């Protein structure tokens, strides 16, 4: 009868453990039930493209139907109104006049986030209602230093035709009424999307 060395069962256990660990290392995060790698084509994502949109953002604080309302007043008497928060449903038009064609709405809020200057935190969706972009949104989140000639804010995402969007917007004040606070701002949106 052939003798089986006593270390064979231990050797088999060690070999089995090494094989198991190597499988875990090779598969990495693929073993998790809640995440998996995907091919972009399965979601219908083709070649990424860069688009430029030019719209006018109308911040209307006055009149019978303002598009921007204060929801949190500043809790101090600073000249910058630090802490003020406004909800917006601002018209987006093709031209600087309110009579120009409406192509969407800027929906979200802006807050006075600086104690030293007029530096706003902007959080809004540019929700389009025109043409093939109807129902799609571009999400903007960033700092808007009001008295700068050009303000740049990041595009952090979107929905519909702008899924996986990224890019930036440049805002330039077209008109501001210092008496009422109403303003028209030109927005140039540069966005990568599929």
């Amino acid at each position: 009868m052939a003798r089986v060395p006593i270390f064979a069962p231990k050797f088999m256990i060690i070999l089995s453990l090494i094989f198991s660990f190597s499988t875990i290392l090779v598969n990495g995060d693929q073993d998790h039930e809640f995440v998996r790698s995907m091919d972009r084509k399965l979601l219908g994502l083709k070649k990424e493209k860069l688009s430029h949109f030019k719209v006018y953002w109308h911040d209307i604080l006055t009149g019978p139907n303002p598009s921007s309302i204060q929801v949190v007043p500043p809790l101090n008497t600073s000249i910058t109104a630090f802490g003020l928060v406004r909800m917006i449903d601002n018209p987006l038009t093709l031209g600087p006049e309110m009579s120009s064609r409406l192509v969407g709405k800027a929906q979200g809020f802006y807050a006075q986030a600086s104690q030293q200057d007029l530096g706003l935190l902007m959080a809004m969706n540019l929700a389009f209602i025109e043409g093939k972009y109807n129902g799609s949104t571009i999400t903007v989140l960033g700092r808007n230093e009001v008295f700068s000639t050009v303000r740049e804010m990041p595009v952090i995402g979107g929905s519909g035709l702008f899924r996986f969007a990224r890019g930036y917007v440049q805002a330039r004040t077209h008109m501001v009424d210092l008496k009422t606070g109403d303003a028209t701002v030109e927005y140039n949106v540069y966005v990568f999307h599929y």
Side-chain angles (χ1 to χ4, degrees), residues 28-37:
D29 65 354
Q30 296 298 315
D31 284 342
H32 298 291
E33 294 177 15
F34 61 91
V35 65
R36 64 186 171 114
S37 296

Side-chain angles (χ1 to χ4, degrees), residues 92-113:
L92 298 173
T93 61
L94 284 183
E97 303 81 22
M98 270 301 299
S99 59
S100 184
R101 189 165 90 209
L102 182 70
V103 295
K105 296 285 196 101
Q107 298 172 327
F109 70 90
Y110 60 84
Q112 176 49 296

Side-chain angles (χ1 to χ4, degrees), residues 131-151:
K132 75 176 188 175
Y133 299 108
N134 184 20
S136 297
T137 65
I138 294 173
T139 304
V140 177
L141 176 67
R143 184 171 196 269
N144 183 347
E145 193 174 340
V146 175
F147 290 126
S148 293
T149 304
V150 178
R151 288 90 68 192

Side-chain angles (χ1 to χ4, degrees), residues 8-71:
K10 289 179 185 175
F11 177 74
M12 292 305 290
I13 291 172
I14 292 171
L15 187 60
S16 175
L17 286 172
I18 290 171
F19 179 75
S20 296
F21 287 134
S22 66
T23 303
I24 290 170
L25 291 173
V26 169
N27 287 338
D29 65 354
Q30 296 298 315
D31 284 342
H32 298 291
E33 294 177 15
F34 61 91
V35 65
R36 64 186 171 114
S37 296
M38 290 187 65
D39 183 352
R40 70 176 71 183
K41 292 174 187 167
L42 293 175
L43 293 176
L45 302 175
K46 297 175 181 151
K47 186 177 178 190
E48 191 175 44
K49 57 189 165 208
L50 174 64
S51 296
H52 171 232
F53 295 83
K54 181 178 176 180
V55 294
Y56 288 85
W57 182 90
H58 300 274
D59 199 34
I60 306 164
L61 283 60
T62 60
N65 192 24
S67 65
S68 176
I69 60 165
Q70 181 177 295
V71 293

Side-chain angles (χ1 to χ4, degrees), residues 124-128 135-141 154-167 191-194:
M124 63 183 170
N125 289 310
L126 306 180
F128 295 96
S136 297
T137 65
I138 294 173
T139 304
V140 177
L141 176 67
V155 167
I156 63 164
S159 66
L161 292 178
F162 299 111
R163 289 184 189 123
F164 299 106
R166 68 188 197 290
V191 62
F192 282 104
H193 60 102
Y194 290 95

Side-chain angles (χ1 to χ4, degrees), residues 70-75 82-85:
Q70 181 177 295
V71 293
V72 178
L75 298 178
F82 176 66
L84 177 135
V85 178

